[in-house]
Amino acid sequence: ASRPKTRGVFALVVVRRPSDGRFLLVQEFAGQGYWLPGGGVDKGESLQDGAIREALEEAGVLVKLKGVLNVEVFGSWRRVIFYAEPAVDPQEQLLRPPQSTPSANIKQVEMSSLGWPKTVPDFESAGACYVDAAQLESIPLRSASELRFVKHVAEGGQVEPLELPYKYASYFADFMF
């Protein structure tokens, strides 16, 4: 079954890991460089659900949306840039003392449920990793323009509430937030 076509509405996600302040980047195919997780919002999908799905598909990380960084409208092309954190921070889990000793016969839990980025390439991306904001200057990027949002968050910039700003509501009337 193929997914429904997107309708000119996109969601990007700036994901910051609270335990160390690193940001999640996706490695694009064919040497295109690294970029933020995101993509087209499917017909019938809310903007928030699209952002969460894209982060999981492209980076392998389930995220919790925390706010909105920006909304962009260019004719019929519309995009929301969300701020999120991993739903589970694996770094934080490693710092906690174990609650119990795991049994040797417990099956391995999927890495995505633990918040680790994916390492096996698939149709969505070649993989993902967490990087420090200072590393952005030294890694190959698909486009540096969207990474201004990473710098904004790294420098303590404001994150708007997790709602569509009223002035943009009419541009997204065909989508649930």
Side-chain angles (χ1 to χ4, degrees):
S2 64
R3 287 200 349 223
K5 297 260 188 228
T6 61
R7 298 173 27 203
V9 175
F10 301 87
L12 284 181
V13 190
V14 174
V15 181
R16 186 175 194 182
R17 192 166 56 190
S19 61
D20 60 8
R22 290 176 170 252
F23 293 90
L24 183 64
L25 293 182
V26 173
Q27 185 178 9
E28 299 285 331
F29 279 108
Q32 294 181 32
Y34 289 83
W35 208 49
L36 298 172
V41 177
D42 293 340
K43 182 177 180 180
E45 185 175 49
S46 74
L47 293 163
Q48 291 183 46
D49 287 346
I52 292 167
R53 175 186 51 76
E54 286 290 345
L56 187 58
E57 285 177 355
E58 292 190 352
V61 175
L62 182 62
V63 299
K64 181 173 173 74
L65 300 178
K66 299 286 191 171
V68 173
L69 292 169
N70 199 24
V71 178
E72 300 171 335
V73 177
F74 304 102
S76 64
W77 186 91
R78 301 160 284 172
R79 181 168 77 172
V80 177
I81 296 92
F82 290 95
Y83 171 69
E85 294 176 354
V88 175
D89 185 339
Q91 292 294 107
E92 196 173 281
Q93 298 296 322
L94 292 174
L95 299 174
R96 280 192 201 143
Q99 299 299 316
S100 63
T101 305
S103 168
N105 57 8
I106 292 178
K107 293 182 180 177
Q108 184 177 356
V109 179
E110 277 190 56
M111 296 304 279
S112 65
S113 68
L114 298 176
W116 293 104
K118 74 177 183 181
T119 57
V120 178
D122 64 14
F123 177 75
E124 298 293 334
S125 71
C129 62
Y130 284 99
V131 300
D132 187 89
Q135 291 176 288
L136 295 176
E137 306 298 326
S138 62
I139 60 174
L141 302 173
R142 176 177 142 188
S143 167
S145 63
E146 283 73 16
L147 295 177
R148 69 186 183 275
F149 301 113
V150 170
K151 291 178 182 179
H152 174 81
V153 171
E155 294 168 357
Q158 183 166 343
V159 176
E160 299 298 326
L162 188 56
E163 57 190 39
L164 188 63
Y166 178 76
K167 67 181 181 179
Y168 293 106
S170 65
Y171 294 105
F172 292 90
D174 53 337
F175 277 84
M176 294 183 343
F177 186 73

